[in-house]
Amino acid sequence: MKVLLYFEKEKALRQSGIGRALRHQKQALEANGVDYTLDPKDSFDIAHINTNFFESYRLLKRCKKEGKKVIVHGHSTFEDFRKSFRCWKLIEPFFDRLIIRMYRNADAIITPTQYSKHLIENYKGVTCPVYSLSNGINLPDYAYSGKKVKQFRNYFKLKPQEKVVIGVGLFFERKGILDFFEIARQMPDVKFIWFGHLSKIMTQGKILRAIKKRPSNVIMPGYIDGDIIKGAFSNANLVLFPTLEETEGIVVLEALASKTPVLVRDIPVFDGWLEDNVNCLKAKDNDEFIKKINYALYNDLSNIIENGYKTVTEREIALVGKELVNIYHEVLKN
């Protein structure tokens, strides 16, 4: 069996969660000895399409015409497109139409959580099987490294006793960046760092204005990959993920794998696998976020951290790969 992993606009998506999902899929197939290609002109038995753009749809139709099975990955939903890019309200009808065309014509859909599975299964006209399968995480990548921690702290010139809270994401309102700024404004003695980037032309005006007026204790270094971000995940006192809507949230997996406490917004996507005060912290609004951050900074969370790590080991890349291969075989068989 040979699989086509297809990502349209791969370079543009490299910094997003979808871009990281490509790396995870490659690792998952390599760990399970499955041959794959990234070139749609190559030979393959099954297409695994990860994007919902025009060329993605053309590829889907071509595969169907050739009698090849097509899996569409449900990274995106109607719900998580909202409050994202500049002019999202104007783009939304066209985006929704593309998504539904892809999902209606797929032989199967894979999406990261039971929550996103439920959303997609209830879209009008979607009749194919929908599988819930985590994006996965390569645990050794996030093992503690004193060298990486030192690189992180030196890069940001952090003082030894300085408390650090990090956030990661594109400059989307949906990611909770406005709340991140407001929380930081009310906690001036804590250093807040937001890792991520989005071009100005694609960023909402309200976000650009908020970035200019952000409090002085918020650092925005842009997109940083490699050892520095790994050191940040390992060394931060807390990972704050105030997102309003997700299909999974790879940032959460990275935090859990780094054995760092994570504070998320209490939204449905985290139900069933993240539990407040068990393997994470949850909050509903900014007042709760501030209370939980203060609690995390000055209390022992070792039990929560260990439980969080146990949770993420169930999403280890090789295990996800086995389930992924089983789905491929099932789709080919049917």
Side-chain angles (χ1 to χ4, degrees), residues 158-289:
L158 297 171
K159 298 172 185 175
Q161 302 305 317
E162 202 160 21
K163 302 291 186 184
V164 179
V165 173
I166 68 168
V168 181
L170 298 174
F171 295 164
F172 290 167
E173 182 180 359
R174 170 177 68 81
K175 291 289 184 181
I177 191 169
L178 297 178
D179 286 334
F180 189 88
F181 292 157
E182 187 54 39
I183 291 163
R185 187 170 282 111
Q186 296 186 50
M187 304 186 74
D189 295 331
V190 178
K191 189 77 73 181
F192 287 77
I193 305 175
W194 182 281
F195 292 92
H197 175 73
L198 189 65
S199 65
K200 284 188 176 181
I201 198 168
M202 297 177 74
T203 305
Q204 290 178 281
K206 67 165 75 172
I207 303 298
L208 292 174
R209 290 190 292 274
I211 290 171
K212 282 185 179 180
K213 296 178 180 179
R214 70 186 185 272
S216 59
N217 60 325
V218 174
I219 301 173
M220 302 191 74
Y223 176 78
I224 294 181
D225 201 3
D227 289 352
I228 291 174
I229 187 68
K230 301 281 178 57
F233 271 114
S234 291
N235 187 245
N237 298 97
L238 181 78
V239 175
L240 173 59
F241 195 52
T243 182
L244 297 157
E245 182 67 36
E246 291 292 324
T247 54
E248 182 176 41
I250 290 178
V251 171
V252 175
L253 302 185
E254 292 171 326
L256 298 177
S258 302
K259 295 190 173 183
T260 299
V262 59
L263 171 56
V264 300
R265 193 181 298 274
D266 191 358
I267 54 176
V269 69
F270 301 126
D271 291 348
W273 63 288
L274 291 182
E275 188 176 346
D276 188 28
N277 291 315
V278 175
N279 55 5
C280 74
L281 297 173
K282 291 184 178 181
K284 289 185 170 64
D285 55 35
N286 285 359
D287 287 341
E288 277 195 20
F289 276 121

Side-chain angles (χ1 to χ4, degrees), residues 74 76-79 99-100 103-104 108-111 113-132:
S76 301
T77 62
F78 300 157
E79 290 76 9
I99 281 183
I100 206 66
Y103 291 170
R104 284 176 179 172
I109 298 167
I110 297 174
T111 192
T113 56
Q114 286 294 325
Y115 168 72
S116 53
K117 178 180 188 291
H118 174 74
L119 292 179
I120 293 170
E121 284 177 332
N122 283 279
Y123 291 165
K124 188 176 180 181
V126 175
T127 58
C128 68
V130 182
Y131 299 90
S132 170

